[in-house]
Every structure is written in C-alpha cells, then in structure tokens.
Amino acid sequence: MTLRFHPLSTDIEPPVRFNDPFDYEPHQLCIMAASLVRAYIKKVGLHEEGKMLGVLVCRQCDGQLGFLAAYSGLLAGRNDWEWFVPPVFDAQQPDGHFKTTERAISSINAEVRVLSDSAVNGVLSSETAAQIQVLKQQRKQMSEELQLWLFRQYRMLNARGEEKDLVELWRDYHQSERIRRKYPLPPGGTGDCCAPKLLQYAYQQGLQPLCMAEFWQGESPRGEIRHEGHYYPACRGKCKPVLEWMLQGLDVETVPATRLDTDTLQPEILYEDSQIAVVVKPAGLLAVPGRTGEPSVAYLLRQRYPKAEGPLIVHRLDMDTSGLMVIALTNEAYHDLQRQFLERSVSKRYVALLQSSSCMSRLRSNPQGIISLPMLPDPLDRPRQVVDLEHGKQAVTRYELLSDALPHPRVALIPLTGRTHQLRVHCAHPDGLDCPILGDPLYGERAERLYLHAEQLSFRHPSTGETLTFSSPSPF
C-alpha cells in the first residue's frame, strides 16, 4: 500500500463532490499531485515521447489524504511500475493465456507468409491456396475468441461494490441494436486508460475518491494534439461506458446544462431579403439544435421568419466561435449557396488570439503562410479531430500575423477548405502554428470564451448574382 498511496500534506480542502471526468477544471489537490508525479518521473528517468498520466486524490479510512497515480497503457514498455497503480488485468504475463495465444497466432501468421512465398510466378497451387484460407479462418477465430476472453477478465467495480466485466458494460451502455451490431465489443485497450485503473484500485483498497485529473507528459504525437502539462478529459469512445458504471455510488458533480438568455444572446441581423439573411452569431450559441434542446441560430431565426421555407443552415460555426453566417430563407437559395460552398467560391476570414507567445519566433520568421494538414474525426473521442497524413481529408488554411502583442498574438485565418475544427487544429498542431487558440477547451486550455471570430464573409447572391461582402468587427 505504501508504494501506491502517496500522502499529501496540505491545508487545501478537498472538493465537496467528485468531479465529472469528462468536463472539469483540475482541483488544486490534483494539480499538486500531478507536480509530484512529474517530479518522480524526472527523478527515476521514465522518459517517453509522450504519455497520458492521471492522478486520483483520495482518503484512507483513517482520514489520511493522499493520491494514486496511473499511466495509460504501458509506460516504457511495462505495466508493473510499483509507484503507480497496477493494471485492472495483467495481460503481459509471458506464460499467461493471452501471451501464449498471441504467440500461437503469430506462428499462424508466419506459416501464412511461408505458404504465400511459395507461389510460382505469383500463382499459388489450389492446395496451397486452400491451406492459406484455412489458416486465415483459424487465425480470425482465435483472435476474436482471445479478444472476448480478455474483455471478460476486466471486471470493473463501482462505488457500491458492484462488478461487471467490459462485455457486460458495453452491451448495457449501448441500448441501440444498430450500435450493438456495428460495435459488438469495446475498442482495444478499453480499461487500460488512467481513470478506470485509478478508480478500480481505489475501490479495491477501500479508499474514498475525492477528485481526479489526467494530464499529458512529453511531446505531442503527430496525429492527435496533446500539449505538455495540459489537463484533458477522459476519452469518450473507450472510457465513457466504463466510467458511467464505475462512478455509480459516488456523489459526482454534474455540469449544469447551459441556459441561454435568448433575450440577450440573439444573432444580430446584418442583412435580410426574401432569399437570405446574414447574421452575427454570438459565442455560446449553437448554429443548429443540439441533443439537449438548447436554443440555436436555426431555432431563433425560425421565430423571426415563420412563413419562410427556411431558415436553412448552409454552413456552421462551432458553438464557442462567434461571427458571420449566411442563412438561406428558401430552398432555391439554400441549394445555390450550398453549391458555392462546395465549389469553394465563398470567401471567409477569421481572426483569433493565440494562447501564448510560444510560437512568436515561428510567426515572426514566417508572418504569413499556408498550413496543409489532412484531418479526420477521432472515432474514440468525438468531437475531437486528428491529423492523419494517410487517410485524412484535405484541410488547408492561410494564416497571417496581425499583431505580435504579448501575451496573445493575433492572427488572421482564412480557411481554403471547410473541415470540422480545421482552424483550431491547424493552430494547435505542432506542424501548424504549434499554439492553440486562446480558450480552446479541446486542443488547448479553457478561458472565458474561445477567441475565434468569423469577421468577413463574401459570396454571390443566389438570385441577383451580385458579390456580397460582409464584415463584423472582432469583439476581442
């Protein structure tokens, strides 16, 4: 116990309720614990290119305050570092069922390669082809059975002392038959992230969880965006079904649903006629209705134009982004504007403040340029996007340094394509500007708002063909 539970000597009061691991500001106790984890890693020389680490502040039955530490997956190729909590299930034992079966599957792979290499002039005999097919079927069956067996070994506890394995958790969480058919089992690696490991160990040892945080240590990977020392929410694809079970029995802080004052948070109408409306969307207002019924630009404009065919949303801004939008009021205008966006004849210009001056030397050397980083949604952590040079869709942004005033440089961003979160990713990624937009909770750090504003919009009027250009001064 002494190796896993690390006492904290402090006057800082713990929170009244456990934090929501998917939406939180790290408590001061977690920040203190994270600094001790970083110091330990530096002391013992556990360096990797980058790793997600986590801390769980908890209390022993005698009242002693302390914390547990964890790493996602393996650390320096191992899962048995004694200073950190152990894995929920250790699949790395050389003589265990998992590794033994893995070696058997590898032997089948080797046999398939040998048979495939026996082809004469690229042609296999019918007997050899049949052997390969049998081996591949055997390999597939063994792999599926091994994965199912492995998930059954992860028996996750909750605060009430109840237990379910990952297969049960996954099926209970996904009530939709369509989702169950498409994703019958959890993604690989489920149960090996920091948060499940921390809670599992705390429950096993009779500790009282108080608050938790996860943070990145080391360099950012080339695909997803992670910054040294930044705190991140638990991933949704792997962890949400698991944590919703494991948190049952804890008094968890709920993030209150946003209640927007629709009297003050209204889109400003800059232009309107029988075909279109051009509005300025305030930060914090959705473009289209969300899952929980919050007001949106579409909803509010429907009240203004009750007899129109629209309003029809042609393009979107993120909820936290402010600025210009063109709205179609007829089907004809909608299809015409949609074509213009698809043909990339619509011109948009944004202004943003960057989180810090860390990229100033890069920006001063190249005050304007092009960022081209193809992107895809992260299937395990939506709505987060990742950079994927092989499979991503083309995403191109032109940028220009407008002001190098410290501590937040101001840049203009002109998207030449229209991918989700394109500007936010292109600013934050190491191969982009390498500095998140100020207030970006997904790719940087929270602030009072996301400092991104669509300040200029130019397009052809659907009826007259006239080129219209609208401007909206930045509110920051």
Side-chain angles (χ1 to χ4, degrees):
M1 189 67 172
T2 55
L3 289 174
R4 314 286 192 182
F5 181 84
H6 311 291
L8 285 172
S9 179
T10 176
D11 294 330
I12 299 173
E13 286 292 323
V16 175
R17 306 175 73 189
F18 194 82
N19 61 285
D20 179 349
F22 300 99
D23 192 350
Y24 67 94
E25 290 286 345
H27 191 274
Q28 284 299 315
L29 288 172
C30 287
I31 293 173
M32 176 186 292
S35 68
L36 295 173
V37 174
R38 292 191 190 96
Y40 175 80
I41 286 178
K42 182 177 180 181
K43 175 183 174 182
V44 299
L46 286 175
H47 296 296
E48 282 198 346
E49 291 184 1
K51 176 61 63 176
M52 189 69 76
L53 300 167
V55 291
L56 174 65
V57 177
C58 43
R59 197 189 301 277
Q60 292 185 136
C61 58
D62 61 1
Q64 172 68 57
L65 189 70
F67 72 93
L68 307 173
Y71 45 85
S72 179
L74 304 178
L75 179 61
R78 289 172 48 184
N79 68 353
D80 58 352
W81 297 100
E82 290 188 338
W83 201 80
F84 297 89
V85 300
V88 175
F89 175 75
D90 186 2
Q92 301 299 313
Q93 294 300 317
D95 298 326
H97 176 71
F98 186 81
K99 284 297 182 182
T100 301
T101 308
E102 259 195 346
R103 288 194 292 270
I105 293 172
S106 296
S107 296
I108 293 174
N109 289 335
E111 193 173 350
V112 168
R113 285 194 297 271
V114 170
L115 291 171
S116 299
D117 291 343
S118 68
V120 178
N121 297 324
V123 178
L124 291 169
S125 68
S126 57
E127 181 181 352
T128 302
Q131 283 181 276
I132 291 175
Q133 188 61 32
V134 168
L135 288 169
K136 286 184 175 180
Q137 283 296 115
Q138 182 184 356
R139 177 181 64 188
K140 180 182 179 183
Q141 182 178 345
M142 289 177 66
S143 296
E144 290 175 350
E145 290 176 351
L146 181 61
Q147 189 67 77
L148 180 60
W149 175 88
L150 180 61
F151 286 143
R152 291 288 191 192
Q153 309 313 304
Y154 283 74
R155 303 199 57 82
M156 315 303 295
L157 295 166
N158 65 20
R160 293 195 287 257
E162 300 165 331
E163 188 178 69
K164 283 186 181 181
D165 66 45
L166 288 180
V167 178
E168 293 175 289
L169 283 175
W170 191 257
R171 292 174 180 169
D172 290 348
Y173 179 81
H174 293 289
Q175 298 297 316
S176 164
E177 285 298 327
R178 182 182 63 83
I179 297 294
R180 287 183 177 185
R181 285 194 300 270
K182 189 173 182 180
Y183 304 106
L185 291 175
T190 299
D192 290 325
C193 295
C194 296
K197 292 165 71 172
L198 289 165
L199 287 171
Q200 183 81 353
Y201 187 79
Y203 294 150
Q204 289 172 336
Q205 302 299 324
L207 301 170
Q208 178 192 0
L210 299 172
C211 53
M212 181 166 58
E214 295 183 61
F215 59 96
W216 187 260
Q217 179 75 12
E219 295 181 9
S220 174
R222 306 315 295 177
E224 58 182 333
I225 296 167
R226 304 293 188 189
H227 291 276
E228 170 87 37
H230 283 198
Y231 292 86
Y232 292 93
C235 66
R236 292 183 175 269
K238 292 180 182 181
C239 288
K240 190 165 181 61
V242 179
L243 293 182
E244 285 207 359
W245 164 255
M246 299 189 78
L247 292 171
Q248 290 181 26
L250 285 184
D251 184 14
V252 180
E253 183 178 57
T254 55
V255 179
T258 304
R259 299 298 178 195
L260 300 179
D261 182 356
T262 54
D263 292 332
T264 58
L265 202 56
Q266 289 271 354
E268 176 191 357
I269 309 295
L270 289 191
Y271 173 90
E272 59 185 338
D273 59 28
S274 62
Q275 297 290 312
I276 64 170
V278 176
V279 306
V280 179
K281 185 187 84 65
L285 183 64
L286 289 168
V288 296
R291 294 180 180 178
T292 54
E294 304 100 322
S296 64
V297 172
Y299 170 79
L300 296 172
L301 291 185
R302 196 169 296 119
Q303 296 177 326
R304 183 180 179 89
Y305 307 107
K307 296 182 180 179
E309 294 173 344
L312 300 168
I313 303 297
V314 184
H315 66 119
R316 303 183 186 187
L317 295 178
D318 293 339
M319 182 178 75
D320 296 328
T321 302
S322 58
L324 291 160
M325 294 179 64
V326 57
I327 313 295
L329 300 180
T330 67
N331 289 324
E332 181 183 4
Y334 173 76
H335 292 302
D336 185 277
L337 289 167
Q338 198 174 49
R339 278 195 297 273
Q340 292 185 51
F341 275 95
L342 289 172
E343 294 166 357
R344 299 178 184 172
S345 60
V346 177
S347 174
K348 295 174 286 183
R349 176 185 167 98
Y350 293 72
V351 64
L353 294 183
L354 301 183
Q355 182 173 295
S356 71
S357 57
S358 60
C359 58
M360 277 314 307
S361 58
R362 177 183 300 198
L363 282 170
R364 285 172 177 153
S365 300
N366 297 284
Q368 53 187 344
I370 296 286
I371 302 167
S372 180
L373 292 171
M375 295 166 48
L376 279 179
D378 183 344
L380 297 179
D381 201 11
R382 294 178 183 273
R384 185 182 295 275
Q385 308 289 305
V386 297
V387 169
D388 190 322
L389 300 180
E390 184 177 356
H391 304 292
K393 294 183 178 180
Q394 182 188 36
V396 183
T397 302
R398 180 181 295 123
Y399 73 88
E400 178 185 354
L401 176 63
L402 299 178
S403 168
D404 58 3
L406 302 181
H408 304 299
R410 180 181 293 265
V411 294
L413 302 167
I414 301 169
L416 305 183
T417 54
R419 307 299 174 203
T420 301
H421 295 179
Q422 176 178 315
L423 302 181
R424 297 163 67 175
V425 170
H426 281 184
C427 286
H429 196 272
D431 294 332
L433 297 185
D434 196 23
C435 187
I437 294 172
L438 179 62
D440 190 337
L442 276 181
Y443 308 104
E445 295 181 322
R446 293 177 183 273
E448 59 273 14
R449 64 155 292 173
L450 175 67
Y451 283 77
L452 178 63
H453 179 77
E455 67 170 3
Q456 194 172 91
L457 178 65
S458 182
F459 58 91
R460 187 181 67 252
H461 193 284
S463 297
T464 68
E466 177 188 2
T467 297
L468 302 177
T469 299
F470 298 89
S471 296
S472 167
S474 165
F476 48 80

